[in-house]
Amino acid sequence: MNDDETARHHHEISDDPARLDVARVHRWLSTDAYWALGRTREHQERMIAGSLNFGAYEVDSGEQAAYARVVTDHASFAWICDVYVDPAARGHGLGTRLVTTVRDRLAPLGVRRFLLATKDAHGVYAKLGFTPLPDPGTWMSLRTG
């Protein structure tokens, strides 16, 4: 069985917000994700409330094994963020499958631009067709904190 088949056999992916283990997601991100270290639970809950959220769950136990959050207008744009796979579930393609599911769920709505940022997983996302911004000089950002 290859990694994709292993991930598919052992995990199901859902965007049902009632299934999210918010405490687990907060613990993962605030203690182990370089981009979210120290994030408060209240802040995480507000981010979840304003986003489309995906969880990957172990088929047998129902325990959440991965998470992805998407900021989107459900029509043209999606920013995929907070992608996290529990260390015990890594190495079997679950993160790739999770991001593929996000892409496939939003594409029929007309979403044509998917963005994400990563410091260390370029190769993972490249397998799904993500490339560096072709003209990063046209993008601007504002940081207020």
Side-chain angles (χ1 to χ4, degrees):
M1 191 178 305
N2 67 33
D3 285 344
D4 186 55
E5 290 168 334
T6 299
R8 191 173 318 282
H9 179 71
H10 294 290
H11 298 91
E12 62 182 344
I13 297 175
S14 172
D15 63 357
D16 179 358
R19 292 190 70 184
L20 287 177
D21 184 338
V22 177
R24 176 176 289 212
V25 169
H26 174 254
R27 185 177 65 254
W28 282 338
L29 297 176
S30 67
T31 65
D32 193 41
Y34 67 83
W35 65 90
L37 294 175
R39 184 182 288 171
T40 68
R41 171 78 182 257
E42 186 268 334
H43 194 198
Q44 185 66 52
E45 288 177 359
R46 284 190 295 136
M47 294 168 82
I48 288 171
S51 302
L52 177 60
N53 301 275
F54 289 79
Y57 304 90
E58 292 182 7
V59 171
D60 294 335
S61 69
E63 187 174 301
Q64 189 167 349
Y67 173 72
R69 186 170 65 83
V70 185
V71 179
T72 183
D73 60 8
H74 298 270
S76 65
F77 175 81
W79 172 36
I80 302 171
C81 46
D82 285 346
V83 178
Y84 187 91
V85 177
D86 186 271
R90 291 179 187 165
H92 301 287
L94 185 56
T96 300
R97 184 168 162 238
L98 183 61
V99 173
T100 299
T101 300
V102 169
R103 179 198 64 200
D104 294 351
R105 161 81 162 61
L106 292 171
L109 301 177
V111 173
R112 295 177 53 185
R113 177 160 302 189
F114 291 85
L115 293 179
L116 57 79
T118 184
K119 186 165 71 171
D120 58 2
H122 294 81
V124 171
Y125 297 115
K127 289 188 287 187
L128 299 174
F130 284 87
T131 61
L133 289 174
D135 191 4
T138 63
W139 290 83
M140 297 179 71
S141 73
L142 170 66
R143 223 176 146 97
T144 62

